[in-house]
Amino acid sequence: MKVCDWTSRPCCLAILYLLVTHLTTEGEILPPTIQRLMKGYNKYLRPFFDNGPVTVGMSLDIASIDTISEINMDYTATIFLRQRWTDERLVFEGNKSLSLDGRLVELLWVPDTFIVDSKKSFLHDITVENRLIRIFPNGTVLYALRITTTVACNMDLTKYPMDKQTCTLQLESWGYNINDVMFYWTRGNESVSGLDSLQLAQYTVEDYYTSVSEAIYETGHYPRLVFHFELKRSILYFILETYVPSSLLVVLSWVSFWISLSSVPARICIGVTTVLTMTTLMMGARTSLPNANCFIKAIDVYLGICFSFIFGALIEYAVAHFCTLTHGETHVLMYGHQMHDFDDEINGIVTTISTHSRAKRRKEPAAAPAPAPASTELTVSPSSPSGSEPKPEAAPPEPTNWCLTVLATLRKILRSISCCHVENPHHIDNYSRVTFPLSFVMVNLLYWTYYLYF
């Protein structure tokens, strides 16, 4: 027979294991109360197996909410989950509860509670598994766990960053339906604690409440407890990070309205620089959100408004500069038209004077002979050219003047409706100095009113 060497470590561990097994079998490790409770106890059968469902009360203590991700649409929280139920098989005499080691939970029946919509969860095990088991004399069992879980939360980001998100933490039985297990909150809305003193980076907890419902699946109806909490995003960070810089860029683009139209490099430099800076700001604002997100967010709308005003300021200079170039040519052309009209008027006057001169010369020879009788004058006057010419000369100027009036009126109408003609291109900058700021203020009032109060 081979003798065990006491100096060898494996031999000592084997002997220690046999000793612990022997003492446990003889009942010398467990206290007498626990021995009586465990005698004939079957952890695979729920309490009140033949006498209706077992009721399980729950309460939560939110230790922390570590992260809230808009990209993954989830949040990570560390919670203390406490469950209470009554097991008639664990009733014992006395007035003190029994606090047991968490590892003894393997000997008892516990509810098969799981967290709905959980992406990943783990039970803390430093320095030992963070479990608490306590048995009261009336058979009530308190079972507490420390869990860190990442839970999905559907978010509506249409009002981002002025949004409010309602997330839930749902507890449900995995295998026992409502005929076997019933869940309830131990103290209603006060069953959840820890949120009042919680400090979050971007959010504040506005409201929270609890509810009880049933989950309906193909295999039956299962008990479910739901904890709702409403988160409101703090907008101050986004005002300093995005809204103020974008608004200042819009104001910077208006500086070009006070720069002379002849300073082409200065105005082009301001316009292009502000457009590129605004583009960079828009790209940076989207980095914290998913690229495939189909939401048109409030911050996207505001950045789009600012970009439109900046781009409009650049286009305004292009229009004003184009009108400046065409204004000189138009002025020369109008001056040529005026000189042509003046020449036509001079020619008309000369023609009229020459016509009257010829008429006078024709009258003088007719008036030279001696005066004739009245009958002769009546006979000669119809046939004499001097008596017939003055009458037709007075009629033609009337239609001519009428045509000139119509042409002048048409010319004024064409000038008034012409889009390309500007009397003074510098007026475009003068109007822009007023219209751009007023329009931006009005759009801001509409924007903030809609997203804050509707």
Side-chain angles (χ1 to χ4, degrees):
M1 183 176 178
K2 195 172 183 179
V3 180
C4 178
D5 187 4
W6 290 94
T7 60
S8 63
R9 182 180 180 83
C11 183
C12 293
L13 291 176
I15 294 174
L16 181 61
Y17 174 76
L18 292 174
L19 180 61
V20 171
T21 304
H22 173 73
L23 293 176
T24 304
T25 304
E26 296 297 327
E28 295 179 8
I29 295 296
L30 295 176
T33 304
I34 303 300
Q35 293 180 31
R36 290 193 299 268
L37 293 178
M38 294 294 103
K39 186 176 182 180
Y41 186 90
N42 189 350
K43 67 177 182 179
Y44 301 108
L45 297 178
R46 65 174 179 83
F48 306 102
F49 186 75
D50 295 327
N51 299 320
V54 56
T55 56
V56 180
M58 298 208 184
S59 62
L60 291 174
D61 191 356
I62 309 297
S64 65
I65 297 180
D66 304 324
T67 58
I68 300 175
S69 174
E70 292 84 8
I71 297 178
N72 301 321
M73 287 197 176
D74 57 25
Y75 67 92
T76 302
T78 300
I79 62 173
F80 296 96
L81 174 61
R82 300 183 181 92
Q83 304 176 81
R84 293 173 181 267
W85 69 93
T86 300
D87 192 340
E88 78 283 2
R89 297 170 294 180
L90 299 178
V91 176
F92 63 92
E93 296 179 357
N95 55 3
K96 292 184 178 180
S97 60
L98 297 176
S99 297
L100 306 179
D101 190 282
R103 288 167 285 192
L104 289 178
V105 74
E106 303 295 337
L107 304 176
L108 303 175
W109 177 91
V110 293
D112 57 348
T113 306
F114 76 99
I115 300 175
V116 185
D117 297 332
S118 175
K119 296 182 177 180
K120 60 179 180 179
S121 303
F122 65 90
L123 177 67
H124 291 261
D125 56 0
I126 303 299
T127 58
V128 294
E129 289 188 350
N130 295 173
R131 294 181 178 183
L132 180 147
I133 187 85
R134 185 173 295 167
I135 304 175
F136 295 88
N138 61 351
T140 300
V141 180
L142 171 63
Y143 180 45
L145 299 168
R146 180 170 174 246
I147 304 171
T148 295
T149 179
T150 300
V151 185
C153 177
N154 294 326
M155 300 181 182
D156 182 8
L157 299 175
T158 52
K159 290 190 175 183
Y160 176 93
M162 292 166 280
D163 55 329
K164 294 181 181 180
Q165 305 298 337
T166 301
C167 297
T168 60
L169 180 64
Q170 305 180 54
L171 303 173
E172 186 180 316
S173 176
W174 175 256
Y176 295 105
N177 57 29
I178 57 176
N179 297 322
D180 300 321
V181 173
M182 294 295 295
F183 286 172
Y184 70 96
W185 294 105
T186 55
R187 298 184 302 276
N189 290 339
E190 296 180 358
S191 302
V192 180
S193 60
L195 285 177
D196 297 332
S197 59
L198 206 59
Q199 297 292 332
L200 301 178
Q202 291 187 13
Y203 293 90
T204 55
V205 180
E206 285 219 322
D207 190 19
Y208 62 90
Y209 59 95
T210 58
S211 63
V212 181
S213 62
E214 293 181 1
I216 302 175
Y217 300 105
E218 184 179 354
T219 55
H221 295 206
Y222 296 85
R224 175 182 290 181
L225 298 181
V226 185
F227 168 59
H228 310 259
F229 57 99
E230 187 176 285
L231 300 172
K232 182 180 179 180
R233 195 184 305 273
S234 301
I235 195 176
L236 180 60
Y237 167 79
F238 296 94
I239 290 177
L240 299 177
E241 187 74 12
T242 304
Y243 284 95
V244 170
S246 58
S247 300
L248 291 178
L249 284 175
V250 174
V251 175
L252 180 62
S253 67
W254 298 340
V255 175
S256 62
F257 300 152
W258 278 266
I259 299 177
S260 174
L261 290 172
S262 60
S263 302
V264 179
R267 297 194 65 162
I268 291 296
C269 180
I270 291 178
V272 174
T273 302
T274 51
V275 168
L276 294 178
T277 307
M278 192 67 211
T279 304
T280 305
L281 190 63
M282 294 173 67
M283 295 176 62
R286 294 191 180 97
T287 54
S288 60
L289 295 174
N291 296 328
N293 200 327
C294 60
F295 292 111
I296 298 177
K297 299 170 288 297
I299 194 170
D300 294 335
V301 174
Y302 192 83
L303 292 176
I305 291 171
C306 293
F307 184 83
S308 300
F309 273 91
I310 293 174
F311 189 75
L314 183 61
I315 295 299
E316 183 271 346
Y317 174 65
V319 173
H321 187 66
F322 175 77
C323 293
T324 304
L325 296 178
T326 57
H327 180 70
E329 299 175 0
T330 305
H331 181 71
V332 173
L333 185 61
M334 290 178 63
Y335 179 76
H337 281 302
Q338 291 176 359
M339 293 300 295
H340 182 68
D341 294 343
F342 180 72
D343 292 341
D344 290 343
E345 292 178 1
I346 295 298
N347 293 333
I349 293 172
V350 172
T351 304
T352 304
I353 293 173
S354 62
T355 303
H356 284 289
S357 299
R358 287 196 299 270
K360 278 186 179 182
R361 285 197 296 270
R362 288 179 182 176
K363 277 185 175 183
E364 288 174 359
S375 59
T376 308
E377 290 179 2
L378 292 173
T379 307
V380 174
S381 66
S383 60
S384 69
S386 60
S388 59
E389 287 182 1
K391 292 181 181 178
E393 288 296 332
E398 293 182 0
T400 304
N401 292 336
W402 181 80
C403 291
L404 290 175
T405 304
V406 173
L407 290 174
T409 304
L410 290 176
R411 184 180 297 173
K412 290 180 180 179
I413 295 174
L414 291 175
R415 286 178 180 178
S416 62
I417 65 175
S418 177
C419 297
C420 298
H421 176 68
V422 179
E423 293 294 338
N424 188 355
H426 295 279
H427 289 170
I428 299 177
D429 279 347
N430 295 335
Y431 297 148
S432 299
R433 294 169 188 173
V434 178
T435 56
F436 270 75
L438 286 180
S439 301
F440 189 66
V441 170
M442 291 299 297
V443 170
N444 269 273
L445 289 176
L446 293 175
Y447 174 86
W448 292 104
T449 301
Y450 174 77
Y451 281 105
L452 290 177
Y453 300 103
F454 293 98

